[in-house]
Amino acid sequence: MNEQDREDEIGGNEPSPVAGLDAQLTELIEFIWACEAAARREDRIDAAIKYGSK
């Protein structure tokens, strides 16, 4: 078996998994950002209910 066949067997021509990890990291960061925004919004709503204008 020569070197080219060995590369084909192990996926030598496939794209690097780094691109997939970058996409997953971007998705994770966006998700965390959205969760933090939702938490701040909920905090403002709770404060408005608790300390609302009288």
Side-chain angles (χ1 to χ4, degrees), residues 17-35:
V18 173
L21 290 176
D22 286 345
Q24 288 178 358
L25 180 59
T26 301
E27 184 178 347
L28 178 61
I29 291 170
E30 290 174 353
F31 179 77
I32 291 170
W33 195 352
C35 288

